[in-house]
């Protein structure tokens, strides 16, 4: 094979970010090759993890719109209007995420989404190579070695520049780290998760409210459930690794059943294969990955989970990865040389990735411990009232993260200011009637400038 031309990219990983970036760059006239260790999901059926649904929010949708993928993806999406909070006594209460049905998140099928994006990438002219696992990189001769886990054997492929879209366990990251210290650090959360399934009702419909993200908050742990378009729900139990209850104390399917009967009794009749699911499905680990550097010269750059894997509690991992793709594609097309484009991309995205990583960790405490707490609910009421009194100025935290495209770091900073304001003005007060509105309004006006959305 000849040395590839410039304006050429070799993308590692045909997952969510790899497939989207391939589409964007091939459309811009670049020569794009994508190497994926798994088989083509369009041929054999999806081999990915069993977790089939993901929450898509505005940041992700915006990126899909740029790639003309939004319509195809949204055809199978299930609207989630808010949190359906399940109390221990079985009561359910919907807490809306936004003002109306224009501010909602969407549950989408990971396999279908991946297939849609792969089709688009191919139509745009990207070449997709399956069963090609990146094994090693020779940065001096600019060759990457790929192993074929299906047929056996391996081959060396020349490259101009590599993009690591190969997920949290990135092989490209390991190869880059061997070449230059990336300052890699992984922080494991002392909690893990297990997935279980709720099948459709006897009549074939949804057995619970479909248009919500269900949460069973229980203090130090929680269950959630997201709807699938095939009328099932995927339930995820998040539990500490140590203590009681924990993955150390709940070991067998029978232990899990006992835990559910005690703490999630309304969910028990909905999960007929609870014990089998528990024993069959692997326990998932949760971690945050921090890097000081995302690129090595003009030769390689990381994005998505490979650069900044995060805990799932804000439902933003994919959304953030899609924003990365749009950003990298923009910098590459601006005509800068490859190294300048990688550096500008990293400078733009790294602070924002860090911000959503931190907010994701914080949202675990909110979901598992606060959503049924009266202080939190009063602060939430005040938040909504202030949104109405000061449109564009006081914007709720969840709205900035999920329904806007302002940089995550800006959302984080404003949320911090707002959180303190909400705490100050609700202290010792039982309901909104006790609020000193003049004082709150003055505080809002002095501490929160009007917010411009990050529309491009
Ligand atoms: P991936 O989608 O993981 O893709 C990586 C690809 O690289 C894979 O196809 C893999 O096979 C391939 N690969 C790996 N190693 C190699 C190699 N050596 N050579 C070649 N190919 C390789 N995010 C949200 O925004 N909302 C959610 O609701 C949400 N829910 C989630 C639920 C679960 C159970 C999990 C695990 C994650 C969830 N996320 C969610 C996070 C989201 O899945 C990730 O942030 C997103 O997939 C990152 O995209 P990526 O392309 O960087 O990585
Ligand atoms: N990821 C999500 C949210 C925020 C919901 C809220 C939370 C499961 C492994 Cl835990 C979680 C959210 O604040 O009310 N939006 O989308 C997705 C989440 O977990 C996903 C399904 C998950 C990794 C297991």
């Amino acid at each position: 094979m000849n040395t590839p031309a410039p304006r050429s990219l070799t993308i590692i990983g045909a997952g969510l970010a790899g497939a989207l970036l391939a589409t964007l760059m091939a459309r811009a006239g670049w020569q794009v090759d994508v190497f994926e260790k798994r088989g083509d999901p369009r041929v054999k059926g999806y081999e990915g993890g069993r977790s089939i649904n993901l929450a898509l929010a505005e940041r992700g949708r915006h990126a899909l719109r740029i790639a003309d993928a939004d319509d195809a993806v949204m055809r199978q999406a299930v609207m989630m209007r808010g949190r359906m909070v399940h109390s221990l006594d079985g009561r359910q209460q919907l807490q809306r995420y936004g003002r109306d049905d224009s501010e909602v998140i969407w549950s989408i099928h990971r396999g279908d989404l991946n297939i849609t994006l792969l089709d688009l990438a191919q139509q745009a002219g990207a070449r997709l190579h399956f069963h090609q696992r990146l094994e090693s990189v020779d940065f001096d001769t600019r060759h990457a070695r790929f192993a074929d886990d299906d047929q056996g054997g391996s081959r060396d492929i020349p490259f101009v520049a590599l993009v690591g879209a190969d997920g949290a366990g990135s092989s490209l990251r390991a190869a880059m780290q061997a070449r230059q210290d990336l300052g890699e650090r992984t922080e494991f959360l002392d909690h893990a998760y297990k997935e279980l399934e709720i099948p459709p009702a006897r009549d074939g419909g949804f057995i619970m409210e479909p248009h919500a993200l269900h949460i069973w908050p229980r203090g130090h742990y929680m269950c959630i459930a997201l709807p699938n378009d095939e009328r099932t729900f995927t339930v995820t139990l998040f539990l500490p690794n140590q203590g009681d209850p924990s993955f150390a104390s709940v070991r067998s399917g029978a232990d899990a059943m006992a835990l559910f009967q005690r703490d999630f009794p309304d969910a028990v009749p909905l999960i007929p294969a609870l014990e089998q699911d528990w024993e069959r499905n692997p326990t998932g680990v949760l971690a945050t990955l921090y890097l000081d550097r995302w690129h090595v010269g003009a030769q390689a750059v990381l994005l998505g989970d490979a650069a900044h894997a995060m805990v799932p509690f804000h439902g933003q991992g994919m959304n953030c990865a899609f924003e990365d793709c749009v950003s990298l594609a923009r910098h590459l097309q601006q005509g800068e040389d490859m190294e300048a484009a990688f550096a500008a991309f990293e400078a733009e995205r790294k602070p924002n990735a860090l911000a959503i990583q931190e907010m994701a960790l914080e949202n675990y405490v909110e979901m598992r411990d606060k959503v049924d707490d009266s202080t939190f609910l009063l602060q939430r009421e005040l938040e909504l009232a202030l949104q109405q009194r000061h449109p564009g100025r006081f914007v709720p935290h969840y709205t900035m993260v999920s329904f806007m495209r302002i940089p995550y770091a800006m959302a984080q900073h404003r949320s911090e200011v707002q959180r303190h304001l909400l705490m100050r003005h609700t202290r010792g007060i039982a309901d909104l009637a006790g609020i000193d509105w003049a004082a709150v309004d003055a505080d809002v006006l002095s501490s929160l400038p009007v917010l411009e959305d990050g529309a491009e």
Side-chain angles (χ1 to χ4, degrees):
M1 200 191 271
N2 296 326
T3 309
R7 282 169 49 87
S8 145
L9 280 186
T10 300
I11 299 176
I12 314 301
L16 300 182
L20 181 65
L21 181 69
T23 305
L24 296 173
M25 295 314 295
R27 290 245 181 91
W30 284 51
Q31 181 181 310
V32 179
D33 285 275
V34 189
F35 292 84
E36 164 60 47
K37 72 175 176 186
R38 294 184 183 148
D40 188 339
R42 299 166 298 179
V43 179
K44 293 179 57 189
Y46 192 65
E47 289 181 48
R50 291 149 303 83
S51 173
I52 44 175
N53 49 15
L54 297 151
L56 175 70
E58 179 56 24
R59 292 169 198 272
R61 278 196 74 183
H62 177 73
L64 293 174
R65 275 185 216 112
I66 290 178
D68 279 327
D70 189 54
D71 285 347
V73 171
M74 293 308 289
R75 252 174 254 143
Q76 289 144 7
V78 182
M79 179 191 282
M80 298 187 289
R81 296 190 167 96
R83 300 171 172 160
M84 186 68 84
V85 177
H86 294 243
S87 324
L88 194 51
D89 63 13
R91 270 183 303 134
Q92 300 181 28
Q93 195 199 17
L94 182 73
Q95 296 172 11
R96 266 198 175 268
Y97 286 133
R99 282 173 291 200
D100 52 45
D101 282 0
S102 71
E103 294 183 332
V104 296
I105 56 174
W106 301 88
S107 183
I108 53 169
H109 191 282
R110 182 192 291 267
D112 291 347
L113 171 64
N114 205 1
I115 286 171
T116 300
L117 294 175
L118 290 172
D119 282 339
L120 287 174
Q122 201 156 40
Q123 284 161 23
R127 293 185 300 213
L128 310 179
H129 312 271
F130 293 97
H131 292 300
Q132 297 291 318
R133 176 171 53 81
L134 180 73
E135 222 175 25
S136 61
V137 179
D138 186 329
F139 287 100
D140 295 319
T141 66
R142 293 199 181 219
H143 280 74
R145 174 163 297 178
F146 294 93
D148 183 334
D149 295 329
D150 189 43
Q151 305 285 318
S154 65
R155 53 184 188 142
D156 292 321
I157 309 280
F159 66 84
V160 171
L162 299 172
V163 179
D166 50 347
S170 170
S171 302
L172 179 56
R173 188 176 71 233
M176 290 162 68
Q177 171 72 32
R179 171 82 171 187
Q180 186 189 348
D181 185 16
L182 303 176
E184 179 173 340
R185 186 164 58 88
T186 300
E187 258 182 29
F188 289 92
L189 193 68
D190 193 24
H191 293 237
Y193 69 91
K194 187 76 96 174
E195 289 166 346
L196 309 164
E197 203 201 28
I198 295 180
R202 224 176 264 143
D203 68 2
F206 285 104
I207 205 163
M208 303 189 289
E209 168 58 47
H211 297 296
L213 191 157
H214 293 259
I215 308 180
W216 290 257
R218 296 296 181 262
H220 290 288
Y221 50 100
M222 68 175 185
C223 248
I224 65 166
L226 273 69
N228 291 299
D229 72 333
E230 55 267 49
R231 311 281 188 271
T232 63
F233 290 85
T234 304
V235 178
T236 311
L237 173 69
F238 295 93
L239 209 58
N241 290 324
Q242 303 297 329
D244 192 21
S246 73
F247 280 103
S249 72
V250 181
R251 302 200 62 87
S252 64
D255 296 342
M257 176 60 90
L259 173 71
F260 269 79
Q261 281 168 341
R262 191 190 74 184
D263 289 342
F264 311 102
D266 61 327
V268 172
L270 310 180
I271 313 173
L274 195 154
E275 299 195 19
Q276 294 91 312
D277 286 354
W278 184 274
E279 288 180 0
R280 231 178 268 149
N281 294 344
T283 304
V285 298
L286 300 165
T288 309
L289 167 78
Y290 305 96
L291 297 179
D292 292 336
R293 269 170 297 286
W294 289 5
H295 77 287
V296 169
Q299 302 209 47
V301 68
L302 301 169
L303 53 61
D305 280 9
H308 51 65
M310 64 189 74
V311 296
F313 305 108
H314 233 308
Q316 286 287 317
M318 161 188 61
N319 287 281
C320 180
F322 282 174
E323 269 194 340
D324 288 351
C325 294
V326 172
S327 166
L328 181 59
R330 180 166 27 83
H331 287 293
L332 286 169
Q333 287 171 61
Q334 272 167 0
E336 300 157 90
D337 65 56
M338 207 71 101
E339 179 158 14
F342 289 173
F345 161 74
E346 178 183 317
E348 177 188 327
R349 294 301 296 166
K350 201 147 69 74
N352 292 308
L354 182 62
I356 187 60
Q357 288 178 313
E358 291 175 355
M359 293 190 286
L361 282 162
E362 287 162 14
N363 208 49
Y364 187 23
V365 183
E366 174 161 327
M367 289 180 77
R368 74 185 196 214
D369 201 27
K370 293 195 187 153
V371 291
D372 57 351
D373 170 280
S374 61
T375 313
F376 171 83
L377 293 174
L378 177 60
Q379 287 178 9
R380 174 74 187 147
E381 260 189 272
L382 179 57
E383 202 178 26
L384 296 174
L386 289 176
Q387 179 181 28
Q388 288 209 323
R389 288 172 86 87
H390 302 281
R393 201 185 277 275
F394 194 107
V395 182
H397 165 76
Y398 195 89
T399 301
M400 289 191 286
V401 171
S402 299
F403 308 134
M404 296 178 82
R405 292 186 288 113
I406 59 168
Y408 285 121
M410 187 188 292
Q412 184 184 35
H413 172 70
R414 294 185 66 110
S415 289
E416 197 60 13
V417 172
Q418 293 179 171
R419 199 169 57 80
H420 285 114
L421 189 151
L422 293 172
M423 278 180 350
R424 264 198 311 282
H425 292 281
T426 52
R427 199 166 290 142
I429 286 172
D431 54 55
L432 286 191
I435 298 284
D436 178 349
W437 292 104
V440 186
D441 290 344
D443 217 357
V444 170
L445 292 173
S446 69
S447 60
L448 293 163
V450 171
L451 184 55
E452 309 281 344
D453 195 355
E456 276 157 19

